[in-house]
Amino acid sequence: MTLAGIKTEVGLDDDMERTAAAGHRMLDDTIEFLSSVRDRRVWTAPPEDVKRKLTNPSPPIDGAGIEAAYDDFKQLVRPYTLGNIHPRFWGWVIGASSPAGMLADMLAGGMNVNVWGAEESAAYVEAQVLQWFKSVFAYPADASGLLVSSGSMANLVALTVARDAAGGAALIDEGLHAAPHLVAYCSTETHNSNDKAASILGIGRRNLRKIAADRDYRIDTDALRTAIAEDRTAGRTPFCIIANCGTVNTGQIDDLRALRRIADEERLWLHVDGAFGALLALSPSLRPLVAGIEQADSIAFDLHKWMNMPYDVACVLIRDAAAHGRSFSPPANYLTQLDGGVASGPHHWGHLGPDLSRGARGLKVWLLLKTFGFSRFAQIVEQNVAQAHHLGSLIEASAELELLTPVVTNCVCFRYRPSPADEDALNALNRRLLVRIQESGVAVPSSTVLRGAFAIRLAIVNQRSRMHDFDEFIRDVLQIARAMTAGAKE
Ligand SMILES: Cc1ncc(COP(=O)(O)O)c(C=O)c1O
């Protein structure tokens, strides 16, 4: 191949003035879009003509320029988003972010650094952010940690280190066949990212034992002890307990201190999946709910959920820094650290997780913590918990609604139950009701199933929600439900 035919060299830095003009317009439009979010429907499905355009398989060979691309974005993408920036979005567990978060992302985009371990400020920023979170959880200052893409990834990283600490060098070098039959434990309420981790790590989903939860949806510690004893008798090797700190269904918290005692007695790793619940530790008044978290061997938590930071960013903390390093640092001569120059930094982030190349996730976290301070995030956590309790009391006060489990933190599960009906009929009615609520555009809760009952479920982590949103939500739910059941009778 000859390169002689290249007449004009190109790059991607098109006319800077034109790009800047488009950028200013994008910024103004986006601020306006965010300022008016409350006035719009929460969710609108993409219409057919939009989906048709978005499924057109012909690739754009010649570019149309930034203005035309932006027009397509405004027409095809932005109006049909999930809705999680809206104050009445409470589905799954999804944060709303903020205008400051958007700007922080923009600054990180402008630098476009790869935070793998070079001597650069962004590497120190990540270390500083991790130190701040260690102090939030009263974790030792010499513990390790990493910013990752998600709570799922944080669980995966922690469970990798737990597995490797149990299996030692033989497992790391030879694979699982050199290790004993490893078994981990969690409750039936544990998030399925841990099941994914069990299969990715070769432990096998069946060897992540699902221990029964008690009537409050906390792990039954007697049943846990029994399961561990049975596995030992059968010649298997228990290695880890995964504690829930905020179950995805009901926001419940396992007895972390009791689990620490069991882990100590049985010489097991204690991992806390605190995707959102761990952030209760930010609030002095709510912190007692997560007592014992500081004794975990590892903690996973998201910053894109209850801290409302822009997607995607989560964090894993690992008490044993040496064990963390052993899991993710196979030798590589092309990554040699030198005594000076670019490759001389002290923070080797690429050696602490699956990703070598990593964006500057820490930067938005650092900027937002400097902008608002931890105290503002603590206030939002407290406010969301108060809103959940307010909603719970509205539901209890209604003869047509049933609260399916007491509100503990920020999750509320309920159903419409206008009159005695069998469970199947109630489940079918509430499934239809949830879809109607979402399609009406007034709010987005999601669903779960609690002991066979289909539940309309809210996980309130939204910094934009206000108390009156919940009054309006109940008014709208009852209106929609009554119209549905009246229609069915006619
Ligand atoms: C308890 C729990 N763990 C883990 C996760 C997974 O987190 P992510 O969605 O950030 O991967 C979630 C998500 O809702 C969760 O609620």
Side-chain angles (χ1 to χ4, degrees), residues 138-152:
Y139 228 51
D142 61 357
S144 186
L146 188 71
L147 295 179
V148 291
S149 55
S150 65
S152 303

Side-chain angles (χ1 to χ4, degrees), residues 2 143 145 204 219 257 282 315 426 438:
T2 169
I219 192 167
R257 287 186 171 143
L282 292 177
C315 183
L426 277 178
Q438 292 179 351

Side-chain angles (χ1 to χ4, degrees), residues 162-172 178-180 182:
R163 178 200 63 174
D164 295 352
L171 182 148
I172 295 175
L182 295 172

Side-chain angles (χ1 to χ4, degrees), residues 70 78 83 91 108 118 129 158 168 207 224 288 324 327 336 345 375 386 446 449:
Y70 179 51
R78 192 163 58 190
V129 161
N207 295 312
L224 171 64
H324 189 186
S327 284
T336 304
S375 62
S446 60
V449 177

Side-chain angles (χ1 to χ4, degrees), residues 92-94 149-155 189-194 196 244-249 273-277 300 302 304-305 311 313-314 457:
W92 302 274
V93 194
I94 302 185
S149 55
S150 65
S152 303
M153 185 58 89
N155 284 330
E189 295 303 299
T190 300
H191 190 267
N192 78 349
S193 51
N194 295 286
K196 290 189 200 171
N244 292 308
C245 185
T247 59
V248 62
N249 277 339
D273 178 353
F276 61 98
D302 277 297
H304 54 214
K305 291 188 181 0
Y311 279 90
V313 60
R457 168 188 163 284

